[in-house]
Amino acid sequence: MNEERSLNFIEEIIEADLKSNKHGGRVLTRFPPEPNGYLHIGHAKSICLNFGLADKYGGKTNLRFDDTNPLSEDVEYVDSIKYDINWLGFEWEEELYTSDYFEKLYEFAVILINKGLAYVDESDPDEIAKAKGTPTEPGIPTPARSRSVEENLRIFREMREGKYKDGEWVLRAKIDLASPNMHMRDPLLYRIKHAHHHRTGDEWCIYPMYDFAHGQSDSIEEITHSVCTLEFVPHRPLYDWLIENIGIYESRQYEFARLNMTYTVMSKRRLLQLVNDKLVEGWDDPRMPTISGLRRRGYTPASIRDFCDRIGVAKRENKIDFSLLEFCVREDLNKTAWRRMAVLDPLKLIITNYPEGQEEVLIGENNPEVEGGEGQREIPFSRELWIERDDFLEDAPRKFFRLSPGKQVRLKHAYIIQCDDFKKDENGNITEIYCSYVPESKSGEDTSGLKVKGTIHWVSVPHAKTAEVRLYDRLFQVEDPAAEPDFKSTLNPDSLTIIDAFIEPDLLNADTKRGYQFIRKGYFTLDKLSSDEKLVFNRTVGLRDNWAKK
Ligand code: ATP
Ligand code: MG
């Protein structure tokens, strides 16, 4: 975390609480994902906040799976969530599950029933919804509201025992049918669902509603600062009411603005649609805003943490430009990526005064950003090279500092060359260019006295290896896809371009643990689809922000 920035409002609260010894000096936060999808960059904000607060104030953070909805949850999601949190660089204190509290939550419900503060209702869902009234009209009680405590207890027990079918009964809190807060109008606490749960199996056929489980779980764990997103502000009075009437630990909830970003969607429901409809390769498709997608794309944990730190924590909703995330990864990779040469759109260059059959080994440092360069690699050089097609122009403007007839450039880590001639095919496409090199101009031992303005990258033709390179663009064409009637209709058809590239041979040693800067072409990472037969690289991000201008 950046120590220089001012405190965010949650840090202010914690510092005040520590001063007044409100929680006995304890700071215990939690990250409470529902295991119904993979984590996305919005979750990263919540993770960095919760774990960051604990780190900063000598506290701890629990990982609690809010697994109250058996139908949409899966262990695959549990595993991916744990992996992603660790990968981001955080370690939780305890791994907990709301389902571990099912018995306790049941007892809490019984406490409320005994106090006359909860009742079972057999009205069908439409009736219940209608009887709740509208924000301007109070609700009206259903006949169930006046049922006796004994009968409520009996039926609730029978619900648990499996005597009833799905939806036949619900348990509701008895609060205030005229409350201006609709969440306080006798909200549902339990519903019947004969469904197999990924952890409790078939032990339960009634499941607590999220609103009944969430606050109580914080309370059971004695979470000191329960941080969540703004949409839960209207739920807070209900959480406080439940905690007070059950008589358990008072966890306090604080709400911050969720992360929204341009050109993407950030809800698991929508991301799941993209996966299920096969509009992307999967949850970890490098175009997805998921942590796993960003990882596969080549984002680093440090860049994501830096992003979360920069966007800050506030109480007002806003929309963050996707370019900021790209800026952060560029900053990080500039410091850490190893430099390599790859030609994405090849044109053949022949050095006419370099003897045929001759070759030599040149040296390039791995990382010019650190002292010592993190070692070096060998780069074979020969008479025939691949260069980038757009590094040559037949009729170049004055400020074109690359190759054109009569002009000189330096070949990176190699020699100065001059373009003497070129060849075209019958369609006017340039097929080969012919250059001469200056033998005294070798990088590192240049005695030629020549000054050239441009440096271009290259790969030796006989030594070049091939790789599949995947170039990505925004997944959506519009800034706010979720605002469209059908967000899927705004997918960018050109979000993925696959090309074959020539790469320098040392890239055969590439691994997924680091990023690579293909000089002048951007930052790349080895993709998991790579095999002994074929290397696949993903472009993480270009060297500059090309999008901001559009
Ligand atoms: P989604 O709406 O994307 O499905 P969710 O809120 O249902 O997300 P949960 O698994 O319930 O997902 O979220 C776990 C935690 O992450 C919650 O505390 C939630 O507030 C937080 N969170 C989810 N989305 C964001 C976001 N975009 N920005 C910040 N925090 C988020
Ligand atoms: Mg949720």
Side-chain angles (χ1 to χ4, degrees), residues 29-33 39 47 51 60-66 78 81-83 85-86 91-98 101 221 223:
T29 60
R30 85 287 175 267
F31 175 64
L39 297 182
I47 292 168
F51 285 88
K60 294 182 166 134
T61 305
N62 285 343
L63 168 59
R64 183 179 67 241
F65 290 100
D66 247 315
V78 169
I81 289 169
K82 286 160 59 176
Y83 189 90
I85 296 172
N86 283 151
E91 276 175 40
W92 52 87
E93 179 65 11
E94 288 193 78
E95 177 184 330
L96 302 164
Y97 294 81
T98 300
Y101 309 143
E221 292 168 25
I223 300 298

PDB file of all heavy atoms in Angstrom, residues 29-33 39 47 51 60-66 78 81-83 85-86 91-98 101 221 223:
ATOM      1  N   THR A  29     -11.316  -8.707   9.710  1.00  0.00           N
ATOM      2  CA  THR A  29     -12.173  -8.499   8.542  1.00  0.00           C
ATOM      3  C   THR A  29     -12.431  -9.861   7.907  1.00  0.00           C
ATOM      4  O   THR A  29     -11.908 -10.880   8.354  1.00  0.00           O
ATOM      5  CB  THR A  29     -11.488  -7.573   7.523  1.00  0.00           C
ATOM      6  OG1 THR A  29     -10.253  -8.177   7.116  1.00  0.00           O
ATOM      7  CG2 THR A  29     -11.201  -6.196   8.130  1.00  0.00           C
ATOM      8  N   ARG A  30     -13.229  -9.871   6.887  1.00  0.00           N
ATOM      9  CA  ARG A  30     -13.447 -11.126   6.159  1.00  0.00           C
ATOM     10  C   ARG A  30     -13.741 -10.812   4.707  1.00  0.00           C
ATOM     11  O   ARG A  30     -14.225  -9.736   4.376  1.00  0.00           O
ATOM     12  CB  ARG A  30     -14.603 -11.960   6.756  1.00  0.00           C
ATOM     13  CG  ARG A  30     -15.976 -11.592   6.263  1.00  0.00           C
ATOM     14  CD  ARG A  30     -16.446 -10.275   6.846  1.00  0.00           C
ATOM     15  NE  ARG A  30     -17.718  -9.863   6.292  1.00  0.00           N
ATOM     16  CZ  ARG A  30     -17.853  -9.065   5.237  1.00  0.00           C
ATOM     17  NH1 ARG A  30     -16.812  -8.594   4.608  1.00  0.00           N
ATOM     18  NH2 ARG A  30     -19.054  -8.739   4.816  1.00  0.00           N
ATOM     19  N   PHE A  31     -13.419 -11.775   3.851  1.00  0.00           N
ATOM     20  CA  PHE A  31     -13.835 -11.685   2.455  1.00  0.00           C
ATOM     21  C   PHE A  31     -14.861 -12.784   2.250  1.00  0.00           C
ATOM     22  O   PHE A  31     -14.551 -13.952   2.456  1.00  0.00           O
ATOM     23  CB  PHE A  31     -12.630 -11.846   1.524  1.00  0.00           C
ATOM     24  CG  PHE A  31     -13.026 -11.874   0.078  1.00  0.00           C
ATOM     25  CD1 PHE A  31     -13.614 -10.759  -0.505  1.00  0.00           C
ATOM     26  CD2 PHE A  31     -12.852 -13.015  -0.689  1.00  0.00           C
ATOM     27  CE1 PHE A  31     -14.024 -10.788  -1.832  1.00  0.00           C
ATOM     28  CE2 PHE A  31     -13.259 -13.053  -2.010  1.00  0.00           C
ATOM     29  CZ  PHE A  31     -13.844 -11.936  -2.585  1.00  0.00           C
ATOM     30  N   PRO A  32     -16.100 -12.415   1.885  1.00  0.00           N
ATOM     31  CA  PRO A  32     -17.186 -13.403   1.876  1.00  0.00           C
ATOM     32  C   PRO A  32     -17.747 -13.740   0.487  1.00  0.00           C
ATOM     33  O   PRO A  32     -18.882 -13.399   0.170  1.00  0.00           O
ATOM     34  CB  PRO A  32     -18.259 -12.673   2.682  1.00  0.00           C
ATOM     35  CG  PRO A  32     -18.081 -11.219   2.281  1.00  0.00           C
ATOM     36  CD  PRO A  32     -16.647 -11.050   1.861  1.00  0.00           C
ATOM     37  N   PRO A  33     -16.990 -14.425  -0.364  1.00  0.00           N
ATOM     38  CA  PRO A  33     -17.521 -14.725  -1.693  1.00  0.00           C
ATOM     39  C   PRO A  33     -18.595 -15.808  -1.676  1.00  0.00           C
ATOM     40  O   PRO A  33     -18.546 -16.720  -0.840  1.00  0.00           O
ATOM     41  CB  PRO A  33     -16.293 -15.220  -2.446  1.00  0.00           C
ATOM     42  CG  PRO A  33     -15.453 -15.854  -1.390  1.00  0.00           C
ATOM     43  CD  PRO A  33     -15.657 -15.001  -0.157  1.00  0.00           C
ATOM     44  N   LEU A  39     -13.744 -15.335  -9.432  1.00  0.00           N
ATOM     45  CA  LEU A  39     -13.568 -13.960  -8.975  1.00  0.00           C
ATOM     46  C   LEU A  39     -13.211 -13.044 -10.137  1.00  0.00           C
ATOM     47  O   LEU A  39     -12.525 -13.443 -11.069  1.00  0.00           O
ATOM     48  CB  LEU A  39     -12.465 -13.885  -7.923  1.00  0.00           C
ATOM     49  CG  LEU A  39     -12.705 -14.654  -6.625  1.00  0.00           C
ATOM     50  CD1 LEU A  39     -11.534 -14.436  -5.670  1.00  0.00           C
ATOM     51  CD2 LEU A  39     -14.012 -14.219  -5.963  1.00  0.00           C
ATOM     52  N   ILE A  47     -10.956  -7.747  -1.962  1.00  0.00           N
ATOM     53  CA  ILE A  47      -9.888  -8.552  -1.339  1.00  0.00           C
ATOM     54  C   ILE A  47      -8.754  -7.649  -0.861  1.00  0.00           C
ATOM     55  O   ILE A  47      -8.312  -7.734   0.284  1.00  0.00           O
ATOM     56  CB  ILE A  47      -9.357  -9.608  -2.353  1.00  0.00           C
ATOM     57  CG1 ILE A  47     -10.441 -10.657  -2.624  1.00  0.00           C
ATOM     58  CG2 ILE A  47      -8.067 -10.257  -1.850  1.00  0.00           C
ATOM     59  CD1 ILE A  47     -10.133 -11.565  -3.805  1.00  0.00           C
ATOM     60  N   PHE A  51      -8.070  -7.563   3.119  1.00  0.00           N
ATOM     61  CA  PHE A  51      -6.774  -8.073   3.568  1.00  0.00           C
ATOM     62  C   PHE A  51      -5.814  -6.927   3.849  1.00  0.00           C
ATOM     63  O   PHE A  51      -5.004  -6.995   4.771  1.00  0.00           O
ATOM     64  CB  PHE A  51      -6.184  -9.026   2.521  1.00  0.00           C
ATOM     65  CG  PHE A  51      -6.838 -10.381   2.499  1.00  0.00           C
ATOM     66  CD1 PHE A  51      -7.961 -10.626   1.719  1.00  0.00           C
ATOM     67  CD2 PHE A  51      -6.332 -11.422   3.266  1.00  0.00           C
ATOM     68  CE1 PHE A  51      -8.572 -11.868   1.690  1.00  0.00           C
ATOM     69  CE2 PHE A  51      -6.931 -12.677   3.253  1.00  0.00           C
ATOM     70  CZ  PHE A  51      -8.053 -12.896   2.463  1.00  0.00           C
ATOM     71  N   LYS A  60      -6.445  -9.600  11.234  1.00  0.00           N
ATOM     72  CA  LYS A  60      -6.544 -10.819  10.450  1.00  0.00           C
ATOM     73  C   LYS A  60      -7.775 -10.768   9.548  1.00  0.00           C
ATOM     74  O   LYS A  60      -8.704  -9.986   9.802  1.00  0.00           O
ATOM     75  CB  LYS A  60      -6.638 -12.021  11.375  1.00  0.00           C
ATOM     76  CG  LYS A  60      -5.341 -12.166  12.137  1.00  0.00           C
ATOM     77  CD  LYS A  60      -5.312 -13.368  13.041  1.00  0.00           C
ATOM     78  CE  LYS A  60      -3.876 -13.593  13.464  1.00  0.00           C
ATOM     79  NZ  LYS A  60      -3.741 -13.839  14.891  1.00  0.00           N
ATOM     80  N   THR A  61      -7.775 -11.643   8.547  1.00  0.00           N
ATOM     81  CA  THR A  61      -8.902 -11.694   7.613  1.00  0.00           C
ATOM     82  C   THR A  61      -9.340 -13.134   7.443  1.00  0.00           C
ATOM     83  O   THR A  61      -8.508 -14.011   7.179  1.00  0.00           O
ATOM     84  CB  THR A  61      -8.498 -11.118   6.241  1.00  0.00           C
ATOM     85  OG1 THR A  61      -7.990  -9.800   6.436  1.00  0.00           O
ATOM     86  CG2 THR A  61      -9.687 -11.055   5.297  1.00  0.00           C
ATOM     87  N   ASN A  62     -10.613 -13.380   7.609  1.00  0.00           N
ATOM     88  CA  ASN A  62     -11.157 -14.709   7.336  1.00  0.00           C
ATOM     89  C   ASN A  62     -11.618 -14.798   5.891  1.00  0.00           C
ATOM     90  O   ASN A  62     -12.074 -13.811   5.309  1.00  0.00           O
ATOM     91  CB  ASN A  62     -12.380 -14.986   8.223  1.00  0.00           C
ATOM     92  CG  ASN A  62     -11.985 -15.294   9.662  1.00  0.00           C
ATOM     93  OD1 ASN A  62     -10.829 -15.607   9.952  1.00  0.00           O
ATOM     94  ND2 ASN A  62     -12.961 -15.194  10.561  1.00  0.00           N
ATOM     95  N   LEU A  63     -11.498 -15.984   5.342  1.00  0.00           N
ATOM     96  CA  LEU A  63     -12.134 -16.263   4.061  1.00  0.00           C
ATOM     97  C   LEU A  63     -13.402 -17.032   4.389  1.00  0.00           C
ATOM     98  O   LEU A  63     -13.342 -18.115   4.976  1.00  0.00           O
ATOM     99  CB  LEU A  63     -11.221 -17.113   3.175  1.00  0.00           C
ATOM    100  CG  LEU A  63     -11.858 -17.717   1.930  1.00  0.00           C
ATOM    101  CD1 LEU A  63     -12.413 -16.635   1.011  1.00  0.00           C
ATOM    102  CD2 LEU A  63     -10.855 -18.580   1.177  1.00  0.00           C
ATOM    103  N   ARG A  64     -14.540 -16.446   4.107  1.00  0.00           N
ATOM    104  CA  ARG A  64     -15.781 -17.154   4.389  1.00  0.00           C
ATOM    105  C   ARG A  64     -16.610 -17.329   3.131  1.00  0.00           C
ATOM    106  O   ARG A  64     -17.016 -16.356   2.518  1.00  0.00           O
ATOM    107  CB  ARG A  64     -16.633 -16.446   5.438  1.00  0.00           C
ATOM    108  CG  ARG A  64     -17.887 -17.288   5.739  1.00  0.00           C
ATOM    109  CD  ARG A  64     -18.785 -16.697   6.789  1.00  0.00           C
ATOM    110  NE  ARG A  64     -19.393 -15.469   6.330  1.00  0.00           N
ATOM    111  CZ  ARG A  64     -19.216 -14.290   6.903  1.00  0.00           C
ATOM    112  NH1 ARG A  64     -18.431 -14.160   7.940  1.00  0.00           N
ATOM    113  NH2 ARG A  64     -19.824 -13.247   6.435  1.00  0.00           N
ATOM    114  N   PHE A  65     -16.839 -18.571   2.778  1.00  0.00           N
ATOM    115  CA  PHE A  65     -17.697 -18.844   1.632  1.00  0.00           C
ATOM    116  C   PHE A  65     -19.152 -18.717   2.061  1.00  0.00           C
ATOM    117  O   PHE A  65     -19.594 -19.392   2.986  1.00  0.00           O
ATOM    118  CB  PHE A  65     -17.408 -20.238   1.071  1.00  0.00           C
ATOM    119  CG  PHE A  65     -16.069 -20.295   0.402  1.00  0.00           C
ATOM    120  CD1 PHE A  65     -14.964 -20.823   1.049  1.00  0.00           C
ATOM    121  CD2 PHE A  65     -15.898 -19.774  -0.871  1.00  0.00           C
ATOM    122  CE1 PHE A  65     -13.718 -20.841   0.446  1.00  0.00           C
ATOM    123  CE2 PHE A  65     -14.666 -19.792  -1.493  1.00  0.00           C
ATOM    124  CZ  PHE A  65     -13.576 -20.328  -0.828  1.00  0.00           C
ATOM    125  N   ASP A  66     -19.847 -17.821   1.397  1.00  0.00           N
ATOM    126  CA  ASP A  66     -21.251 -17.608   1.692  1.00  0.00           C
ATOM    127  C   ASP A  66     -22.059 -18.589   0.853  1.00  0.00           C
ATOM    128  O   ASP A  66     -22.608 -18.255  -0.183  1.00  0.00           O
ATOM    129  CB  ASP A  66     -21.622 -16.154   1.334  1.00  0.00           C
ATOM    130  CG  ASP A  66     -21.964 -15.374   2.594  1.00  0.00           C
ATOM    131  OD1 ASP A  66     -22.704 -15.916   3.433  1.00  0.00           O
ATOM    132  OD2 ASP A  66     -21.484 -14.245   2.727  1.00  0.00           O
ATOM    133  N   VAL A  78     -15.090 -22.854  -5.434  1.00  0.00           N
ATOM    134  CA  VAL A  78     -14.372 -22.728  -4.153  1.00  0.00           C
ATOM    135  C   VAL A  78     -12.866 -22.798  -4.402  1.00  0.00           C
ATOM    136  O   VAL A  78     -12.093 -21.949  -3.944  1.00  0.00           O
ATOM    137  CB  VAL A  78     -14.809 -23.836  -3.171  1.00  0.00           C
ATOM    138  CG1 VAL A  78     -13.893 -23.876  -1.951  1.00  0.00           C
ATOM    139  CG2 VAL A  78     -16.256 -23.634  -2.748  1.00  0.00           C
ATOM    140  N   ILE A  81     -11.439 -19.744  -6.246  1.00  0.00           N
ATOM    141  CA  ILE A  81     -11.417 -18.539  -5.398  1.00  0.00           C
ATOM    142  C   ILE A  81     -10.210 -18.574  -4.469  1.00  0.00           C
ATOM    143  O   ILE A  81      -9.477 -17.593  -4.321  1.00  0.00           O
ATOM    144  CB  ILE A  81     -12.748 -18.430  -4.606  1.00  0.00           C
ATOM    145  CG1 ILE A  81     -13.883 -18.066  -5.556  1.00  0.00           C
ATOM    146  CG2 ILE A  81     -12.620 -17.403  -3.472  1.00  0.00           C
ATOM    147  CD1 ILE A  81     -15.286 -18.190  -4.959  1.00  0.00           C
ATOM    148  N   LYS A  82      -9.950 -19.740  -3.864  1.00  0.00           N
ATOM    149  CA  LYS A  82      -8.808 -19.862  -2.963  1.00  0.00           C
ATOM    150  C   LYS A  82      -7.500 -19.619  -3.724  1.00  0.00           C
ATOM    151  O   LYS A  82      -6.618 -18.906  -3.260  1.00  0.00           O
ATOM    152  CB  LYS A  82      -8.796 -21.253  -2.316  1.00  0.00           C
ATOM    153  CG  LYS A  82      -9.872 -21.380  -1.238  1.00  0.00           C
ATOM    154  CD  LYS A  82     -10.235 -22.804  -0.895  1.00  0.00           C
ATOM    155  CE  LYS A  82      -9.097 -23.636  -0.402  1.00  0.00           C
ATOM    156  NZ  LYS A  82      -9.542 -24.978   0.009  1.00  0.00           N
ATOM    157  N   TYR A  83      -7.429 -20.210  -4.900  1.00  0.00           N
ATOM    158  CA  TYR A  83      -6.219 -20.051  -5.705  1.00  0.00           C
ATOM    159  C   TYR A  83      -5.988 -18.577  -6.043  1.00  0.00           C
ATOM    160  O   TYR A  83      -4.868 -18.051  -5.915  1.00  0.00           O
ATOM    161  CB  TYR A  83      -6.348 -20.881  -6.992  1.00  0.00           C
ATOM    162  CG  TYR A  83      -5.066 -20.940  -7.779  1.00  0.00           C
ATOM    163  CD1 TYR A  83      -4.124 -21.947  -7.546  1.00  0.00           C
ATOM    164  CD2 TYR A  83      -4.768 -19.968  -8.736  1.00  0.00           C
ATOM    165  CE1 TYR A  83      -2.934 -21.986  -8.251  1.00  0.00           C
ATOM    166  CE2 TYR A  83      -3.568 -20.001  -9.433  1.00  0.00           C
ATOM    167  CZ  TYR A  83      -2.666 -21.010  -9.193  1.00  0.00           C
ATOM    168  OH  TYR A  83      -1.480 -21.045  -9.875  1.00  0.00           O
ATOM    169  N   ILE A  85      -7.027 -15.828  -4.540  1.00  0.00           N
ATOM    170  CA  ILE A  85      -6.682 -14.969  -3.395  1.00  0.00           C
ATOM    171  C   ILE A  85      -5.196 -15.141  -3.053  1.00  0.00           C
ATOM    172  O   ILE A  85      -4.470 -14.163  -2.864  1.00  0.00           O
ATOM    173  CB  ILE A  85      -7.562 -15.297  -2.175  1.00  0.00           C
ATOM    174  CG1 ILE A  85      -9.027 -14.990  -2.489  1.00  0.00           C
ATOM    175  CG2 ILE A  85      -7.109 -14.490  -0.954  1.00  0.00           C
ATOM    176  CD1 ILE A  85      -9.999 -15.467  -1.417  1.00  0.00           C
ATOM    177  N   ASN A  86      -4.743 -16.389  -3.014  1.00  0.00           N
ATOM    178  CA  ASN A  86      -3.314 -16.648  -2.756  1.00  0.00           C
ATOM    179  C   ASN A  86      -2.446 -16.022  -3.832  1.00  0.00           C
ATOM    180  O   ASN A  86      -1.418 -15.417  -3.547  1.00  0.00           O
ATOM    181  CB  ASN A  86      -3.042 -18.162  -2.709  1.00  0.00           C
ATOM    182  CG  ASN A  86      -3.487 -18.790  -1.397  1.00  0.00           C
ATOM    183  OD1 ASN A  86      -3.839 -19.949  -1.352  1.00  0.00           O
ATOM    184  ND2 ASN A  86      -3.463 -18.009  -0.316  1.00  0.00           N
ATOM    185  N   GLU A  91      -3.080 -14.128   2.435  1.00  0.00           N
ATOM    186  CA  GLU A  91      -3.356 -15.373   3.162  1.00  0.00           C
ATOM    187  C   GLU A  91      -4.420 -15.127   4.207  1.00  0.00           C
ATOM    188  O   GLU A  91      -4.329 -14.188   4.991  1.00  0.00           O
ATOM    189  CB  GLU A  91      -2.083 -15.871   3.836  1.00  0.00           C
ATOM    190  CG  GLU A  91      -1.224 -16.670   2.875  1.00  0.00           C
ATOM    191  CD  GLU A  91       0.097 -17.077   3.490  1.00  0.00           C
ATOM    192  OE1 GLU A  91       0.108 -17.436   4.680  1.00  0.00           O
ATOM    193  OE2 GLU A  91       1.092 -17.019   2.758  1.00  0.00           O
ATOM    194  N   TRP A  92      -5.413 -15.968   4.224  1.00  0.00           N
ATOM    195  CA  TRP A  92      -6.500 -15.799   5.173  1.00  0.00           C
ATOM    196  C   TRP A  92      -6.159 -16.487   6.486  1.00  0.00           C
ATOM    197  O   TRP A  92      -5.312 -17.371   6.541  1.00  0.00           O
ATOM    198  CB  TRP A  92      -7.810 -16.344   4.608  1.00  0.00           C
ATOM    199  CG  TRP A  92      -7.700 -17.745   4.093  1.00  0.00           C
ATOM    200  CD1 TRP A  92      -7.850 -18.908   4.786  1.00  0.00           C
ATOM    201  CD2 TRP A  92      -7.396 -18.132   2.729  1.00  0.00           C
ATOM    202  NE1 TRP A  92      -7.656 -19.989   3.954  1.00  0.00           N
ATOM    203  CE2 TRP A  92      -7.376 -19.547   2.703  1.00  0.00           C
ATOM    204  CE3 TRP A  92      -7.150 -17.427   1.543  1.00  0.00           C
ATOM    205  CZ2 TRP A  92      -7.117 -20.262   1.519  1.00  0.00           C
ATOM    206  CZ3 TRP A  92      -6.890 -18.137   0.384  1.00  0.00           C
ATOM    207  CH2 TRP A  92      -6.873 -19.541   0.380  1.00  0.00           C
ATOM    208  N   GLU A  93      -6.844 -16.038   7.514  1.00  0.00           N
ATOM    209  CA  GLU A  93      -6.666 -16.615   8.836  1.00  0.00           C
ATOM    210  C   GLU A  93      -7.374 -17.969   8.883  1.00  0.00           C
ATOM    211  O   GLU A  93      -6.781 -18.999   9.095  1.00  0.00           O
ATOM    212  CB  GLU A  93      -7.236 -15.658   9.895  1.00  0.00           C
ATOM    213  CG  GLU A  93      -7.138 -16.150  11.326  1.00  0.00           C
ATOM    214  CD  GLU A  93      -5.696 -16.287  11.808  1.00  0.00           C
ATOM    215  OE1 GLU A  93      -4.784 -15.805  11.113  1.00  0.00           O
ATOM    216  OE2 GLU A  93      -5.490 -16.890  12.880  1.00  0.00           O
ATOM    217  N   GLU A  94      -8.705 -17.943   8.677  1.00  0.00           N
ATOM    218  CA  GLU A  94      -9.461 -19.194   8.713  1.00  0.00           C
ATOM    219  C   GLU A  94     -10.274 -19.349   7.440  1.00  0.00           C
ATOM    220  O   GLU A  94     -10.762 -18.372   6.895  1.00  0.00           O
ATOM    221  CB  GLU A  94     -10.431 -19.182   9.907  1.00  0.00           C
ATOM    222  CG  GLU A  94      -9.751 -19.317  11.245  1.00  0.00           C
ATOM    223  CD  GLU A  94     -10.776 -19.605  12.322  1.00  0.00           C
ATOM    224  OE1 GLU A  94     -11.228 -20.769  12.413  1.00  0.00           O
ATOM    225  OE2 GLU A  94     -11.155 -18.658  13.040  1.00  0.00           O
ATOM    226  N   GLU A  95     -10.401 -20.599   6.997  1.00  0.00           N
ATOM    227  CA  GLU A  95     -11.263 -20.869   5.857  1.00  0.00           C
ATOM    228  C   GLU A  95     -12.598 -21.356   6.412  1.00  0.00           C
ATOM    229  O   GLU A  95     -12.676 -22.426   7.009  1.00  0.00           O
ATOM    230  CB  GLU A  95     -10.630 -21.938   4.971  1.00  0.00           C
ATOM    231  CG  GLU A  95     -11.493 -22.330   3.792  1.00  0.00           C
ATOM    232  CD  GLU A  95     -10.869 -23.469   2.977  1.00  0.00           C
ATOM    233  OE1 GLU A  95      -9.628 -23.569   2.940  1.00  0.00           O
ATOM    234  OE2 GLU A  95     -11.645 -24.252   2.397  1.00  0.00           O
ATOM    235  N   LEU A  96     -13.614 -20.553   6.237  1.00  0.00           N
ATOM    236  CA  LEU A  96     -14.899 -20.843   6.871  1.00  0.00           C
ATOM    237  C   LEU A  96     -16.022 -20.902   5.841  1.00  0.00           C
ATOM    238  O   LEU A  96     -15.873 -20.411   4.723  1.00  0.00           O
ATOM    239  CB  LEU A  96     -15.197 -19.750   7.910  1.00  0.00           C
ATOM    240  CG  LEU A  96     -14.123 -19.591   9.000  1.00  0.00           C
ATOM    241  CD1 LEU A  96     -14.288 -18.267   9.732  1.00  0.00           C
ATOM    242  CD2 LEU A  96     -14.190 -20.757   9.970  1.00  0.00           C
ATOM    243  N   TYR A  97     -17.093 -21.512   6.244  1.00  0.00           N
ATOM    244  CA  TYR A  97     -18.244 -21.674   5.357  1.00  0.00           C
ATOM    245  C   TYR A  97     -19.520 -21.340   6.117  1.00  0.00           C
ATOM    246  O   TYR A  97     -19.700 -21.810   7.244  1.00  0.00           O
ATOM    247  CB  TYR A  97     -18.331 -23.123   4.848  1.00  0.00           C
ATOM    248  CG  TYR A  97     -17.192 -23.505   3.957  1.00  0.00           C
ATOM    249  CD1 TYR A  97     -15.966 -23.883   4.491  1.00  0.00           C
ATOM    250  CD2 TYR A  97     -17.313 -23.446   2.571  1.00  0.00           C
ATOM    251  CE1 TYR A  97     -14.894 -24.215   3.679  1.00  0.00           C
ATOM    252  CE2 TYR A  97     -16.258 -23.781   1.743  1.00  0.00           C
ATOM    253  CZ  TYR A  97     -15.049 -24.160   2.306  1.00  0.00           C
ATOM    254  OH  TYR A  97     -13.985 -24.483   1.489  1.00  0.00           O
ATOM    255  N   THR A  98     -20.370 -20.561   5.506  1.00  0.00           N
ATOM    256  CA  THR A  98     -21.651 -20.287   6.139  1.00  0.00           C
ATOM    257  C   THR A  98     -22.391 -21.598   6.417  1.00  0.00           C
ATOM    258  O   THR A  98     -23.098 -21.718   7.411  1.00  0.00           O
ATOM    259  CB  THR A  98     -22.500 -19.365   5.241  1.00  0.00           C
ATOM    260  OG1 THR A  98     -21.769 -18.145   5.062  1.00  0.00           O
ATOM    261  CG2 THR A  98     -23.833 -19.048   5.868  1.00  0.00           C
ATOM    262  N   TYR A 101     -22.449 -23.050   9.712  1.00  0.00           N
ATOM    263  CA  TYR A 101     -23.279 -22.404  10.734  1.00  0.00           C
ATOM    264  C   TYR A 101     -24.763 -22.756  10.590  1.00  0.00           C
ATOM    265  O   TYR A 101     -25.606 -22.163  11.244  1.00  0.00           O
ATOM    266  CB  TYR A 101     -23.138 -20.881  10.663  1.00  0.00           C
ATOM    267  CG  TYR A 101     -21.711 -20.377  10.658  1.00  0.00           C
ATOM    268  CD1 TYR A 101     -21.359 -19.280   9.889  1.00  0.00           C
ATOM    269  CD2 TYR A 101     -20.721 -20.984  11.440  1.00  0.00           C
ATOM    270  CE1 TYR A 101     -20.061 -18.789   9.883  1.00  0.00           C
ATOM    271  CE2 TYR A 101     -19.414 -20.500  11.426  1.00  0.00           C
ATOM    272  CZ  TYR A 101     -19.090 -19.410  10.637  1.00  0.00           C
ATOM    273  OH  TYR A 101     -17.808 -18.942  10.632  1.00  0.00           O
ATOM    274  N   GLU A 221     -18.424 -15.061  13.881  1.00  0.00           N
ATOM    275  CA  GLU A 221     -16.955 -14.970  13.796  1.00  0.00           C
ATOM    276  C   GLU A 221     -16.399 -13.761  14.547  1.00  0.00           C
ATOM    277  O   GLU A 221     -15.194 -13.574  14.605  1.00  0.00           O
ATOM    278  CB  GLU A 221     -16.527 -14.894  12.324  1.00  0.00           C
ATOM    279  CG  GLU A 221     -16.781 -16.183  11.572  1.00  0.00           C
ATOM    280  CD  GLU A 221     -16.635 -16.031  10.054  1.00  0.00           C
ATOM    281  OE1 GLU A 221     -15.911 -15.122   9.601  1.00  0.00           O
ATOM    282  OE2 GLU A 221     -17.295 -16.807   9.337  1.00  0.00           O
ATOM    283  N   ILE A 223     -16.493 -10.634  13.627  1.00  0.00           N
ATOM    284  CA  ILE A 223     -15.848  -9.721  12.684  1.00  0.00           C
ATOM    285  C   ILE A 223     -16.010  -8.303  13.228  1.00  0.00           C
ATOM    286  O   ILE A 223     -17.122  -7.888  13.559  1.00  0.00           O
ATOM    287  CB  ILE A 223     -16.509  -9.848  11.290  1.00  0.00           C
ATOM    288  CG1 ILE A 223     -16.382 -11.278  10.731  1.00  0.00           C
ATOM    289  CG2 ILE A 223     -15.943  -8.807  10.325  1.00  0.00           C
ATOM    290  CD1 ILE A 223     -14.980 -11.764  10.490  1.00  0.00           C
TER     291      ILE A 223
END
